[in-house]
Amino acid sequence: PAGPADWDEGALHEVDAAVALDGAPARTEVPFTLEAGECTEDGTRYRQERLDGAVVVETEPIEGPYGLVKARVRVENRTGRPEPRSPRPAVLRSSLVSAHTLLKAGGGASFVSLLEPPEWARAAVAACENTHTWPVLAGEPGRRDLMLSSPIILYDHPEIAAESPAD
């Protein structure tokens, strides 16, 4: 019989970072390491290379009467550059493919929809730059304390499709 099939699949990892939204500029950086590993399930071998990275959160107040605060979140891969001419599968094993960020506002703070901002927030929203990620309000419709930023385009308050095999 043949050996186990090789399969590269993303693995869920969570990194928590917090910053105060008290109106003063703030910055926090949370380094992380995801260790290399390998396992076999149902004849399929899963591999993960070591990844070094950081979650960097910065906030700055926006001038004006509404008390808006701009939040900037970066998920950085600090693993190092792959060898030149490395095959794509090897490079992908040390990449942060499909990184999502989930932001939660506390203490009465809330997020503004970047897709359908209120009139008073349109100028601030227009000044936002989202690079390879699309932030949307998350949770039940009407909720404004959660924001999901994903590498795929979604709309505010996305739901898991009924035909999806998992959460």
Side-chain angles (χ1 to χ4, degrees):
D6 285 343
W7 186 258
D8 296 323
E9 184 172 303
L12 176 65
H13 296 280
E14 295 180 14
V15 177
D16 292 329
V19 65
L21 296 174
D22 58 7
R27 183 179 193 281
T28 188
E29 181 174 317
V30 180
F32 64 87
T33 297
L34 308 177
E35 295 298 338
E38 184 176 305
C39 70
T40 302
E41 290 180 21
D42 299 326
T44 301
R45 182 174 53 211
Y46 298 93
R47 294 181 306 220
Q48 174 180 309
E49 298 297 326
R50 177 188 167 115
L51 289 167
D52 294 304
V55 174
V56 180
V57 182
E58 298 172 308
T59 62
E60 64 182 89
I62 296 176
E63 294 281 333
Y66 301 106
L68 295 175
V69 175
K70 178 190 268 186
R72 181 178 298 113
V73 179
R74 287 191 323 269
V75 180
E76 300 178 352
N77 186 340
R78 297 179 176 176
T79 304
R81 295 195 170 268
E83 292 295 320
R85 301 191 186 268
S86 295
R88 186 173 193 270
V91 173
L92 287 175
R93 279 188 219 108
S94 60
S95 298
L96 293 168
V97 176
S98 192
H100 290 63
T101 55
L102 183 64
L103 289 74
K104 180 165 185 354
S110 61
F111 294 105
V112 170
S113 170
L114 298 181
L115 296 173
E116 298 178 12
E119 186 63 38
W120 54 266
R122 288 184 194 233
V125 166
C128 290
E129 180 180 334
N130 303 303
T131 306
H132 307 297
T133 187
W134 287 265
V136 296
L137 296 175
E140 296 296 319
R143 189 169 179 180
R144 295 183 348 126
D145 66 329
L146 287 177
M147 181 164 276
L148 171 67
S149 197
S150 155
I152 61 172
I153 298 172
L154 297 171
Y155 295 98
D156 283 337
H157 307 288
E159 295 180 10
I160 297 171
E163 63 273 8
S164 181
D167 291 348

